[in-house]
Amino acid sequence: RPPMVTSSGRTLPSAFLSVGQAFQGTQHVSHNCNAAEEAWKVTVQFQEVDLQRGYICGSMEAYGFSSGPHSSTSIVTFWEGDIIDNVNSSFFTSRWGASHDTDMDHWTRFKGFAGMKEGMQALGKRKLDVASSPHIFMRWKEKFFVNVGPECGLTIAGFYYACLDRSTGRIEGFYYDPNSSPYQKLELTPTLQGRNGYSFAGYQFQ
C-alpha cells in the first residue's frame, strides 16, 4: 500500500480529543539501573483543544511517589502541546533538546507509528496523511507547577511524546529529558471524569 499524502494535513476530530476529557493511568519511572521501578499514578485532563492551530493544553496530576517531601501528596502541572498535523507541527520537534534521531527513536516505540515511519522514508519531504491515521500523535510540554513550588524536587524540563488511539481513547507516552531516566512510559485510559459533571479541583492557571 503506498504512503498516503494529503494537501491539508488537518487532524480529524476524535471523541476522545475534546475539552474536559480525562484519562487515568501510570507513569513508570526508574531513577537508575540499580533502583526498582516506580509506577506513579497519573491523571490527565484536556483543558483546550484547537485542531485548526494544532494546539492542545491540559493539566496532569501525579501521585504515588515513594520518597521525598511530596510522597503522600499529589503534584499538579499545567502543560501545552502540539497536535502533529503536518501543517502547524511535524514529527520533528526541533527544540527542547530533541534531535531528529531523538524524535525517531521515540516515535518508533509506538506501534501506531509503524506505517508512518515507512511513509516518511518513502515520501521524503512530502507530507503524510496524518488525518487518516487511526492514531493521533502529540507532544506535551509541562510549563509550570500548579500546587507546589519549583523546589519540590521534581523536574519538568523534558516533554512527552504521546499517541492517542482514536477508537479506544488509550494514550501511550514516553517522557524525554536527557538528564532523566530514559523512556519513562505513560499509559492512560479514558474516564468519564470531566464529562459527567466531575473534574479536577479548581486550580487557576496563569
Side-chain angles (χ1 to χ4, degrees), residues 45-96:
Q45 188 170 44
F46 295 156
Q47 305 291 347
E48 181 180 350
V49 177
D50 187 336
L51 297 182
Q52 286 298 110
R53 293 191 296 134
Y55 173 82
I56 186 169
C57 70
S59 53
M60 177 180 292
E61 183 173 16
Y63 48 100
F65 312 106
S66 63
S67 61
H70 300 283
S71 58
S72 61
T73 61
S74 65
I75 302 291
V76 180
T77 56
F78 171 78
W79 56 267
E80 293 183 306
D82 306 323
I83 300 171
I84 308 303
D85 57 10
N86 278 333
V87 175
N88 298 285
S89 299
S90 75
F91 284 104
F92 295 117
T93 306
S94 302
R95 60 195 190 282
W96 305 326

Side-chain angles (χ1 to χ4, degrees), residues 109-122:
R109 292 178 181 275
F110 299 110
K111 293 181 180 179
F113 187 75
M116 293 290 179
K117 180 181 180 181
E118 295 171 1
M120 289 174 69
Q121 293 172 334

